[in-house]
Amino acid sequence: MLILGTWHDHEIKISVRERERSLTVSTVWEGHLLTAAYEGGGRPRTFITQGTVYRRALDGRMLAKWRPRGQLRQRRWLSQDEALQIEARGRALLQAVYADLQAGRLEANGELPPLGHTLFQRAIAWDEAKSRADAAHYRTIYLPIGILPPDQYSAIVLQATLGCSFNSCTFCTFYRDRPFRIKPPEEFRQHAEAVKDFLGEGIYLRQGIFLGDANALVVPMKRLVPLMEIANEVFPEAWGSIGRPQTRADNGLTTHRGAWGGIYAFLDGFSGEKKTSDDYARLASLGLKRVYIGMESGHAPLLRFLHKPGEPEDVLHTVRAMKAGGVAVGVIVLIGAGGHFYAEAHVRDTIALLNAMPLDSRDIIYFSELVVTDDMPYARDAAAANLHPLTHEECLAQEAAIRAGLRFGASKPLISRYDIREFVY
């Protein structure tokens, strides 16, 4: 439901979305347009003001994103105090708007529905103490979630494994703080139940389950199948998705029929060859929809420089097995890797490898520009090899060159960019 009105001589928009259990208020506040968005339980989600988007992560951190005129997008993680100040500003807006709604001092084209009153009250009650406690609670459930594919930023992450099974890629530091471990079924069930309890009504804004961490599908079938069955038991298919309302007797929450969104996961592409197309068909029957593979490049010498195990042919075999088993793929290409020295071969061999894959409209090709930080082994190796990095403009040109060489049939995969600096969970 969208309510339009006038408040203190300014336009105001109040969006109450029943199926997603969400509240958004947008109007001028303290001299500037402010949009504040909240989950069903009152948890802040997004604030937009003065050309800056503030996105709150579940661990309480907040990423600010803005784009100065004529420049590239800028990003900065706020300090905790800064994040809490943004939350407080949104809360003050809601308090003022809700008080005037109740007093009849806000001219609008409709009345706030009962759910709207509930959402306002919950968001207003989300004060600093509750925000701090919520972030602390999150850290008892999850280890830091390193990264997700862009189309999975709103998934429910379940950490079936911790860390990465090989953890040797020089360009990745997401999982250096933990050894690889597969959770036993009972521990995973407790984790999944804790995630469901933590998300609360915020779950209605989420679609699909992402099995973490970095390489969850490396788990042997006899151990992976029970974990996926548990995920389906804790988050049954009919719960939380869009469609005709129904009520679950076990918790009394109003839910909606339809597909939950399926199960998704990463696989390195080099250990994936150990599963057959029949294995993937079995996993598809348990809800597996798409697997994301860090291919990085089709050029074998570049993969060796990156300390990526295996050969390009291993990725091709894995993709073919997945597709034969009815599972879609998301293939990730690392733009700028290897600098100028590897650039020509990187483009040539990546085109060849992608064109050899049986990709269709259910699949995604992601182009992810290499982001180098001083703590990466890649930075050390590149300096030792005297590699000259590509500029951002040269990375865009490299991406364009690969795109131009791709040849698919009538059913083409989606092709998109993947900026790891945008990730917020």
Side-chain angles (χ1 to χ4, degrees):
M1 178 179 185
L2 180 62
I3 298 173
L4 303 176
T6 302
W7 186 59
H8 296 300
D9 299 323
H10 294 288
E11 181 184 77
I12 186 170
K13 298 178 182 178
I14 302 172
S15 174
V16 177
R17 304 185 70 175
E18 181 179 357
R19 288 182 294 188
E20 289 83 1
R21 304 290 200 277
S22 65
L23 171 68
T24 304
V25 176
S26 183
T27 190
V28 172
W29 178 246
E30 297 177 338
H32 299 282
L33 180 64
L34 173 62
T35 298
Y38 298 83
E39 297 179 359
R43 183 182 287 120
R45 186 172 173 85
T46 305
F47 302 94
I48 306 173
T49 188
Q50 295 179 262
T52 300
V53 177
Y54 299 91
R55 185 74 170 83
R56 184 188 187 272
L58 290 175
D59 64 1
R61 296 180 306 145
M62 189 174 289
L63 180 65
K65 301 185 291 185
W66 70 99
R67 185 170 185 171
R69 182 173 297 178
Q71 299 181 39
L72 297 176
R73 179 177 291 180
Q74 306 294 309
R75 305 165 189 84
R76 182 173 72 87
W77 285 99
L78 304 187
S79 68
Q80 185 178 48
D81 287 344
E82 289 173 319
L84 290 170
Q85 287 171 10
I86 296 294
E87 290 185 27
R89 187 178 176 198
R91 185 167 59 252
L93 167 65
L94 264 59
Q95 289 172 330
V97 169
Y98 191 55
D100 283 356
L101 271 171
Q102 292 180 300
R105 294 190 294 267
L106 193 155
E107 301 176 11
N109 64 348
E111 294 186 1
L112 191 68
L115 176 62
H117 286 276
T118 299
L119 296 178
F120 261 102
Q121 292 162 8
R122 289 174 176 173
I124 290 169
W126 193 279
D127 58 12
E128 179 177 330
K130 189 164 187 176
S131 186
R132 290 180 182 272
D134 184 69
H137 186 196
Y138 170 92
R139 289 188 287 272
T140 68
I141 299 169
Y142 286 110
L143 286 184
I145 297 170
I147 194 66
L148 294 176
D151 62 302
Q152 294 298 307
Y153 286 0
S154 293
I156 298 166
V157 175
L158 300 180
Q159 290 178 316
T161 65
L162 298 176
C164 177
S165 58
F166 55 94
N167 210 9
S168 62
C169 297
T170 59
F171 58 88
C172 175
T173 59
F174 292 130
Y175 308 102
R176 302 290 185 186
D177 63 340
R178 69 199 75 168
F180 181 74
R181 183 171 73 86
I182 303 169
K183 290 183 178 177
E186 189 52 41
E187 180 185 352
F188 180 65
R189 183 182 295 277
Q190 292 173 359
H191 168 71
E193 293 284 3
V195 168
K196 183 171 72 171
D197 179 69
F198 172 75
L199 291 175
E201 289 204 19
I203 204 168
Y204 292 98
L205 281 166
R206 299 193 174 272
Q207 289 293 317
I209 293 168
F210 195 92
L211 285 184
D213 267 333
N215 200 14
L217 289 194
V218 74
V219 177
M221 285 292 290
K222 66 180 181 180
R223 299 183 67 181
L224 179 59
V225 167
L227 298 180
M228 292 185 65
E229 289 174 338
I230 289 169
N232 282 314
E233 291 168 12
V234 176
F235 296 93
E237 198 172 48
W239 196 58
S241 51
I242 296 173
R244 185 163 61 88
Q246 68 178 36
T247 300
R248 284 176 49 79
D250 60 344
N251 57 25
L253 290 175
T254 300
T255 65
H256 301 84
R257 298 184 188 275
W260 174 254
I263 297 176
Y264 304 79
F266 280 126
L267 183 67
D268 57 69
F270 306 103
S271 59
E273 63 179 349
K274 297 176 182 178
K275 288 184 172 61
T276 67
S277 58
D278 289 340
D279 291 332
Y280 285 112
R282 172 73 173 113
L283 298 178
S285 74
L286 293 171
L288 184 65
K289 299 296 185 184
R290 183 182 297 119
V291 179
Y292 300 84
I293 299 174
M295 181 184 99
E296 321 310 350
S297 177
H299 186 52
L302 176 54
L303 294 179
R304 287 192 286 273
F305 177 76
L306 297 173
H307 290 207
K308 187 90 174 184
E311 299 292 329
E313 292 75 14
D314 299 329
V315 181
L316 181 58
H317 295 157
T318 298
V319 169
R320 286 174 173 169
M322 289 176 181
K323 297 294 292 180
V327 176
V329 298
V331 182
I332 303 166
V333 176
L334 191 60
I335 296 297
H340 287 277
F341 181 80
Y342 289 98
E344 182 178 350
H346 180 29
V347 170
R348 181 194 65 229
D349 293 350
T350 297
I351 290 172
L353 185 55
L354 289 172
N355 282 338
M357 294 178 180
L359 304 181
D360 57 40
S361 60
R362 297 190 306 136
D363 305 312
I364 304 174
I365 298 173
Y366 278 123
F367 290 107
S368 180
E369 185 174 329
L370 175 66
V371 178
V372 180
T373 56
D374 292 340
D375 60 337
M376 281 184 179
Y378 178 91
R380 176 202 63 212
D381 293 350
N386 197 28
L387 296 185
H388 298 286
L390 271 62
T391 65
H392 174 65
E393 290 73 20
E394 288 170 332
C395 284
L396 294 178
Q398 185 175 83
E399 176 186 333
I402 296 174
R403 285 180 182 246
L406 298 179
R407 300 290 182 267
F408 301 106
S411 183
K412 301 178 180 179
L414 173 69
I415 301 177
S416 183
R417 304 211 79 224
Y418 181 176
D419 192 330
I420 62 172
R421 295 168 297 182
E422 295 285 304
F423 172 61
V424 178
Y425 182 68

